[in-house]
């Protein structure tokens, strides 16, 4: 064990060997050749380890080069940011939401035509047998005119059930929903919004009137908390959204806003 | 008995709104109308050849049609009692409310952040997020010049009081000066602020007829006074610990600055001495207004009823001084500040560091506050979607104007103080009548939030700009 830093001391006093730099340069110049030789001759596990190390080294190198390049680019020009704000809003955390200018007329025209340019254009039709379960009634359970809906429903607020004796369609309480997770496609944000109504269930007109919500159903949501405004400066209240999941399987309604 | 019922009479006395009595007691029937009162008041003031319109008040209630409407007729009218009728002089000319969009002027490639008419109302400039300042032809409503020079968003612009130059400040902290006639840059770039410019204010015309000095405030907390001829900073006022949000250069040689450090500071502009610190707000102070704002803004131009020979600079200067003195003769310079703590304070900054009144009522932060040109009314715009009106002398609450469905960003008075226009985040402008205190016209048209609105000083046009990158002109 060396008792002192005598090598450093010697170097400080007398300097390095005269041809040190030259030899060092040559050694470094030979290094790639040596490495290539090793890569060619190594076999088995050693080759595996060697290649792995070499790969990691190369990744680090490339990263470093890229970082340097970015640094140089930044020094050249600073781009002006988009989304200019007046002075009085600069220090406030204004969400730079690309406010959607809803076009009421467009939507109304679409409503008339009954066609939407929707995210899910084709939906598998739901048959009656899939949506309804036949319920036997009568004293000897001979009658079979009652139906129970087995899918998620939206039931309006003022709805009162008919007397059980005459109720043809039963919509179970456990399958009733009045809120949906609605995603705004441009803001890429999701809001938990109250449902106003079921606009169209593509499977059948009857499902629409019953308020059955399946995949692809168009629902109307209360978007007042999003603060969207029409061109005339009125608050947009209701907007359509299409259901994108199978609510009866998932236990929640996910929808995407139609803008 | 019935005859007496029809002919009920009261003893009345006319008083000006500053409290001076005019003439002797007059015996009036209570069915007297405002027109009759106006002619009577004009004759009492010996100005029958140049009659001016008046508004009349009894115990702070305005007489709308007849005197009967405001008198408490349920009580027995006492013949001994004298009714004090306070008259308020209204402006002779009338501004017609803007009702339609006459042109949408595209050109800016980014949101329009500031829009200003020149003091004489003949030129229009706008600053935008696309780093340009643009001048527009007011008559033909077409673009005039595009001024490139800034490297970042142009945040604020200010016309010199003689309307010959415009200064603009950008987000990099640079200030440039422009010639509105040629669209060329004047002088050099004025650099000094380390952060963005928040406000620009010119020295008032009556104390600086050549429009040589102006001041700028910045996010870095400094205020700098510049010489516009030499393009040099001549004084730096430091003291605010946070961003300065508003700056006003008063007519009495004082400068007022509001800051996010919750204080308002009063500086002597000549030597940069801090005179007073006005404390009271509990949160950021956002905006300031002076009761002399309008006369200072008019600079070297005058209302149509004042005849001044514009070719003689001395008479113009004297007329401006007289006009300023007339406005401050009543109560001196009054300052109103609006803040993030939802309140407004009324100050007498020349004499006192205590507020005169505290105005509460807003449910969200106050973004803009403006004195009416006749200094009698204050309007404050808030993020709670409402505009509130206050008495300009004692800060008493008058009424709330509701109608916007989102935050109100900016308001602007018409020159006759009878109308108010407001721009809001709900993409509309709304014109409010001060007579009925109600919405007069709704002006939809912008596609997105309205950031800036300005009513030209001749009253014929309103210009507005916003996030939809279009500048719109509105006219009757």
């Amino acid at each position: 064990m060396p008792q002192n830093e005598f090598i450093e001391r010697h170097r400080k006093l007398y300097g390095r060997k005269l041809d040190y730099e030259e030899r060092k340069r040559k050694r470094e110049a030979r290094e790639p050749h040596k490495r290539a030789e090793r890569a060619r001759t190594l076999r088995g596990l050693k080759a595996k380890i060697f290649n792995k190390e070499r790969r990691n080294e190369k990744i680090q190198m490339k990263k470093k080069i890229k970082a340097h390049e970015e640094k140089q680019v930044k020094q050249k020009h600073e781009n002006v940011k988009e989304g200019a704000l007046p002075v009085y809003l600069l220090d406030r955390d204004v969400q730079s939401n690309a406010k959607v200018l809803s076009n009421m007329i467009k939507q109304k025209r679409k409503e008339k035509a009954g066609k939407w340019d929707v995210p899910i254009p084709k939906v598998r039709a739901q048959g009656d047998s899939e949506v309804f379960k036949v319920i036997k009634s009568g004293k000897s359970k001979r009658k079979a005119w009652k139906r129970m809906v087995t899918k998620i429903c939206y039931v309006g607020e003022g709805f009162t059930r008919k007397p059980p004796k005459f109720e043809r369609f039963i919509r179970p309480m456990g399958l009733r929903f009045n809120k949906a997770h609605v995603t705004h496609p441009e803001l890429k944000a999701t809001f938990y919004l109250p449902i106003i109504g079921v606009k169209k269930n593509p499977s059948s007109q009857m499902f629409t009137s019953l308020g059955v919500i399946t995949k692809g159903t168009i629902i109307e949501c209360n978007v007042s908390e999003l603060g969207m405004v029409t061109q005339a400066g009125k608050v947009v209240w209701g907007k359509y959204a299409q259901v994108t999941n199978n609510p009866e399987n998932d236990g929640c309604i996910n929808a995407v806003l139609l803008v | 008995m019935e005859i007496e019922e029809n002919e009920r009479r009261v003893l009345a006395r006319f008083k000006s709104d500053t409290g001076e009595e005019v003439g002797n007691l007059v015996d009036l029937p209570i069915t007297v109308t405002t027109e009759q009162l106006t002619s009577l008041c004009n004759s009492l003031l010996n100005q029958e050849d140049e009659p001016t319109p008046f508004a009349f008040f009894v115990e702070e209630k305005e007489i709308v049609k007849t005197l009967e409407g405001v008198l408490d007729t349920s009580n027995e009218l006492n013949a001994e009692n004298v009714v004090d009728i306070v008259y308020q002089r209204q402006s002779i000319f009338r501004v017609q409310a803007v009702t339609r969009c006459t042109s949408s002027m595209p050109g800016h490639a980014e949101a329009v952040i500031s829009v200003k008419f020149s003091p004489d109302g003949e030129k229009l400039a706008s600053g935008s997020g696309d780093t340009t300042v643009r001048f527009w032809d007011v008559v033909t409503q077409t673009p005039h010049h595009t001024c490139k020079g800034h490297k970042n968003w142009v945040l604020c612009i200010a016309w010199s009081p003689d309307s010959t130059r415009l200064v603009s400040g950008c987000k990099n902290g640079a200030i440039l000066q422009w010639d509105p006639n040629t669209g060329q840059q004047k002088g050099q770039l004025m650099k000094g602020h380390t952060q963005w410019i928040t406000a620009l204010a010119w020295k008032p015309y009556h104390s600086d007829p050549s429009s040589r000095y102006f001041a700028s405030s910045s996010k870095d907390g400094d205020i700098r006074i510049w010489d516009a001829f030499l393009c040099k900073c001549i004084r730096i006022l430091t003291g605010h610990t946070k961003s300065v949000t508003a700056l006003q250069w008063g007519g009495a040689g004082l400068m007022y600055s509001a800051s996010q450090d919750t204080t308002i500071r009063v500086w002597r502009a000549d030597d940069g001495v801090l005179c007073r610190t006005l404390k009271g707000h509990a949160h950021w102070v956002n905006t300031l207004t002076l009761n002399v704002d309008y006369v200072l803004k008019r600079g070297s131009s005058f209302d149509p009823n004042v005849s001044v020979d514009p070719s003689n600079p001395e008479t113009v200067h004297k007329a401006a001084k007289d006009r300023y003195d007339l406005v401050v003769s009543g109560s001196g310079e009054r300052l109103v500040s609006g803040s993030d703590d939802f309140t407004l304070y009324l100050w007498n900054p020349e004499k006192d560091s205590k507020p005169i009144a505290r105005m509460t009522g807003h449910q969200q932060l106050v973004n803009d506050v403006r004195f009416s040109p006749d200094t009698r009314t204050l309007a404050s715009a808030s993020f709670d979607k409402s505009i509130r009106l206050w008495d300009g002398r004692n800060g008493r609450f008058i009424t709330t104007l509701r109608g916007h469905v989102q935050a109100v960003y900016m308001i602007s008075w018409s020159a006759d103080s009878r109308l108010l226009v407001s721009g809001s985040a709900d993409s509309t402008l709304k014109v409010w009548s001060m007579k009925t205190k109600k919405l007069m016209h709704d002006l939809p048209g912008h596609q997105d939030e309205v950031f800036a609105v300005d009513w030209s000083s001749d009253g014929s046009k309103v210009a507005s700009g916003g996030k939809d990158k279009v500048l719109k002109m509105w006219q009757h």
Side-chain angles (χ1 to χ4, degrees):
Chain A
M1 289 291 286
Q3 297 300 305
N4 237 326
E5 302 285 356
F6 56 87
I7 294 177
E8 277 74 31
R9 182 166 174 274
H10 184 270
R11 260 183 214 152
K12 271 180 198 157
L13 286 175
Y14 308 106
R16 289 184 190 273
K17 209 173 164 183
L18 287 175
D19 60 350
Y20 170 77
E21 300 293 335
E22 178 74 5
R23 281 162 59 94
K24 192 180 173 214
R25 182 187 66 77
K26 282 188 173 170
R27 195 165 53 241
E28 274 169 9
R30 268 195 306 271
E31 182 62 31
H33 294 275
K34 276 200 164 173
R35 200 201 291 264
E37 170 87 35
R38 261 169 73 79
R40 258 182 284 130
T41 50
L42 279 180
R43 292 283 179 276
L45 184 64
K46 278 189 180 165
K48 259 190 178 172
I49 293 169
F50 174 82
N51 284 333
K52 195 179 177 194
E53 267 175 12
R54 182 65 186 148
R55 179 171 170 268
N56 283 341
E57 236 171 75
K58 278 188 170 173
I59 289 172
Q60 291 307 320
M61 222 150 55
K62 276 192 181 155
K63 269 188 185 167
K64 205 174 249 178
I65 290 170
K66 213 171 190 183
H68 274 294
E69 272 172 358
E70 267 173 18
K71 227 183 254 169
Q72 281 161 359
V73 168
K74 253 182 200 169
Q75 281 163 356
K76 273 177 200 161
H77 56 89
E78 201 177 317
N79 274 345
V80 179
K81 272 193 197 161
E82 276 188 16
L85 287 175
V87 182
Y88 50 80
L89 295 179
L90 274 178
D91 281 326
R92 308 194 185 282
D93 304 332
V94 186
Q95 311 140 335
S96 57
N97 57 351
K99 186 183 289 171
V100 207
L101 301 164
S102 69
N103 199 332
M104 291 292 267
I105 304 165
K106 235 186 214 172
Q107 191 164 1
K108 269 190 188 144
R109 203 181 297 149
K110 276 180 187 166
E111 206 172 322
K112 261 186 197 162
K115 279 181 197 160
W116 285 280
D117 184 20
V118 289
I120 310 173
K122 277 193 181 166
V123 196
R124 191 179 61 89
Q126 310 262 349
D128 274 9
S129 57
E130 198 176 344
V131 176
F132 299 129
K133 187 182 156 199
V134 180
I135 289 188
K136 298 272 168 72
S137 56
K139 197 174 179 185
S140 51
K141 298 281 178 266
R142 279 189 305 154
K143 294 177 182 144
W145 55 271
K146 275 195 176 215
R147 299 286 181 272
M148 185 163 76
V149 180
T150 59
K151 303 280 177 192
I152 299 285
C153 285
Y154 169 74
V155 180
E157 230 160 72
F159 176 75
T160 322
R161 287 178 62 180
K162 285 212 176 71
K165 192 176 174 185
F166 305 110
E167 192 180 35
R168 173 135 194 253
F169 293 106
I170 300 165
R171 293 181 279 185
M173 288 301 290
L175 288 175
R176 293 188 190 178
F177 272 67
N178 50 18
K179 280 192 151 187
H181 298 280
V182 179
T183 304
H184 194 297
E186 279 169 36
L187 300 183
K188 301 259 187 303
T190 307
F191 306 92
Y192 193 40
L193 301 176
I195 301 172
I196 299 172
V198 173
K199 201 68 204 166
K200 189 172 176 73
N201 188 323
S203 300
S204 147
Q205 173 58 38
M206 189 171 65
F207 296 170
T208 308
S209 56
L210 275 173
V212 176
I213 299 174
T214 55
K215 187 173 181 175
T217 306
I218 310 289
I219 54 175
E220 193 173 16
C221 295
N222 183 355
V223 292
S224 57
E225 72 181 64
L226 268 64
M228 289 196 283
V229 181
T230 65
Q231 273 188 340
K234 303 276 188 300
V235 171
V236 179
W237 188 60
K239 246 179 157 352
Y240 296 148
Q242 190 180 30
V243 177
T244 53
N245 69 334
N246 289 307
E248 69 277 7
N249 295 345
D250 301 348
C252 66
I253 303 175
N254 296 340
V256 59
L257 211 60
L258 307 178
V259 282
Chain B
M1 196 63 195
E2 272 187 350
I3 301 163
E4 210 172 286
E5 196 72 327
N6 292 337
E7 283 292 315
R8 285 169 78 183
R9 301 178 81 85
V10 287
L11 275 182
R13 180 167 46 195
F14 284 102
K15 269 188 175 179
S16 77
D17 50 356
T18 49
E20 298 147 25
E21 290 178 16
V22 176
N24 291 324
L25 296 182
V26 280
D27 190 18
L28 296 172
I30 59 169
T31 53
V32 66
T33 62
T34 44
E35 289 82 33
Q36 291 164 330
L37 281 173
T38 304
S39 61
L40 181 64
C41 196
N42 272 320
S43 67
L44 280 174
L45 292 166
N46 301 324
Q47 51 179 20
E48 283 135 323
D49 43 345
E50 283 181 357
T52 53
F54 287 101
F56 298 97
F57 297 85
V58 173
E59 286 169 356
E60 303 189 336
K61 275 188 270 178
E62 188 174 357
I63 303 176
V64 183
K65 267 191 189 145
T66 62
L67 184 56
E68 200 172 11
V70 291
L71 288 179
D72 200 0
T73 42
S74 59
N75 289 354
E76 196 77 0
L77 275 179
N78 195 340
E80 299 284 308
N81 271 2
V82 177
V83 179
D84 279 331
I85 300 178
V86 177
Y87 66 87
Q88 277 188 354
R89 201 179 290 265
Q90 305 283 301
S91 70
I92 299 169
F93 58 95
R94 229 168 231 286
V95 171
Q96 283 184 309
V98 291
T99 51
R100 69 203 163 90
C101 179
T102 50
S103 62
S104 310
M105 299 183 282
H108 280 298
E110 256 290 346
V112 183
I113 294 174
S114 48
V115 175
K116 286 266 167 71
F117 278 102
S118 67
D120 55 13
E122 286 163 10
K123 302 181 195 92
L124 175 65
S126 64
S128 152
D130 64 357
T131 73
T132 62
V133 174
R134 284 173 194 250
F135 290 101
W136 308 86
D137 193 321
V138 173
V139 183
T140 59
Q141 314 200 334
T142 46
H144 235 184
H145 304 292
T146 308
C147 310
K148 288 176 187 150
H150 282 294
K151 295 276 191 297
N152 210 333
W153 307 346
V154 180
L155 289 178
C156 40
I157 55 175
W159 284 92
S160 69
D162 57 2
S163 309
T164 58
R165 277 161 293 148
L166 179 97
V167 287
S168 58
C170 78
K171 202 171 172 232
N172 284 359
I175 301 171
L176 287 175
Q177 196 176 178
W178 307 96
D179 184 345
N181 297 320
T182 61
Q184 298 295 313
Q185 186 183 333
K186 269 194 162 185
Q188 300 139 342
L189 179 128
M190 288 170 264
K191 190 97 180 108
H193 286 298
T194 54
Q195 298 226 44
W196 64 74
I197 311 290
T198 53
L200 294 163
W202 283 85
K203 192 167 182 180
Y205 182 76
H206 62 81
S207 51
D208 180 19
S210 56
S211 297
R212 181 161 188 171
Y213 301 105
F214 71 92
S216 65
S217 67
S218 163
K219 160 89 175 156
D220 60 16
D222 291 353
I223 299 156
R224 281 169 186 258
I225 303 176
W226 304 84
D227 186 324
F229 292 172
L230 303 174
C231 297
K232 276 210 176 100
C233 178
I234 52 170
R235 194 156 286 122
I236 307 174
L237 313 179
T238 52
H240 281 299
T241 53
K242 278 188 188 162
S243 167
V244 183
T245 49
L247 184 66
Q248 292 278 354
W249 197 320
L254 293 174
M255 218 150 69
Y256 312 102
S257 63
S259 162
Q260 287 180 355
D261 64 8
T262 74
T263 61
I264 299 157
R265 284 172 193 250
V266 184
W267 313 82
R268 207 184 309 145
D270 295 333
D271 49 8
V273 172
L274 175 67
C275 300
R276 216 159 275 122
T277 307
L278 312 181
K279 285 180 188 155
H281 283 296
H283 206 329
W284 299 355
V285 188
N286 293 324
T287 172
L288 287 179
T289 182
L290 287 171
N291 59 351
V292 291
D293 253 359
Y294 177 72
V295 291
L296 298 185
K297 184 183 151 200
R298 286 310 297 265
S300 63
S301 51
F302 292 89
D303 287 342
N305 54 331
V306 183
S307 56
V308 175
D309 173 23
S311 58
N312 188 347
E314 273 175 24
T315 53
V316 175
H317 181 212
K318 190 170 176 306
K321 181 96 180 92
D322 291 345
R323 184 180 54 179
Y324 171 76
D325 288 339
L326 183 73
V327 175
V328 292
S329 62
S331 55
E333 265 185 24
R334 294 287 182 87
L335 183 75
V336 173
S337 56
S339 157
D340 253 29
D341 63 3
F342 313 163
T343 64
L344 299 117
Y345 275 97
L346 178 65
W347 311 86
N348 189 1
E350 282 174 46
K351 300 189 181 79
D352 202 0
S353 58
K354 290 270 180 297
I356 300 169
R358 177 167 186 253
M359 292 167 258
T360 55
H362 277 298
Q363 279 133 31
Q364 281 286 321
L365 64 95
V366 181
N367 194 50
D368 197 13
V369 58
R370 294 288 174 91
F371 258 107
S372 68
D374 64 6
T375 77
R376 289 191 192 112
T377 328
L378 269 170
S380 60
S382 160
F383 278 20
D384 66 4
K385 307 164 193 172
S386 71
I387 300 162
R388 277 170 191 260
L389 298 180
W390 317 82
D391 192 310
R393 278 158 301 169
N394 50 23
R396 210 169 38 81
F397 173 68
I398 298 173
T399 188
T400 314
L401 307 176
R402 290 189 195 280
H404 281 294
V405 295
Q406 274 180 22
V408 187
Y409 281 150
M410 210 169 178
I411 46 179
S412 187
W413 285 89
S414 71
D416 66 349
S417 309
R418 289 187 179 103
L419 298 166
L420 181 74
V421 67
S422 59
S424 155
D426 67 8
S427 77
T428 63
L429 274 83
K430 292 191 197 295
V431 180
W432 309 87
S433 160
M434 286 305 108
K435 190 142 190 79
T436 58
K437 309 274 195 291
K438 289 234 166 62
L439 177 68
M440 199 167 179
H441 294 294
D442 193 358
L443 306 174
H446 274 289
Q447 309 273 317
D448 213 329
E449 302 184 4
V450 183
F451 285 149
V453 56
D454 196 21
W455 203 314
S456 78
S457 45
D458 62 359
S460 62
K461 292 174 197 75
V462 167
S464 64
K467 210 172 172 185
D468 60 352
K469 308 168 189 177
V470 185
L471 195 74
K472 280 185 184 281
M473 297 275 274
W474 310 84
Q475 269 178 305
H476 180 71

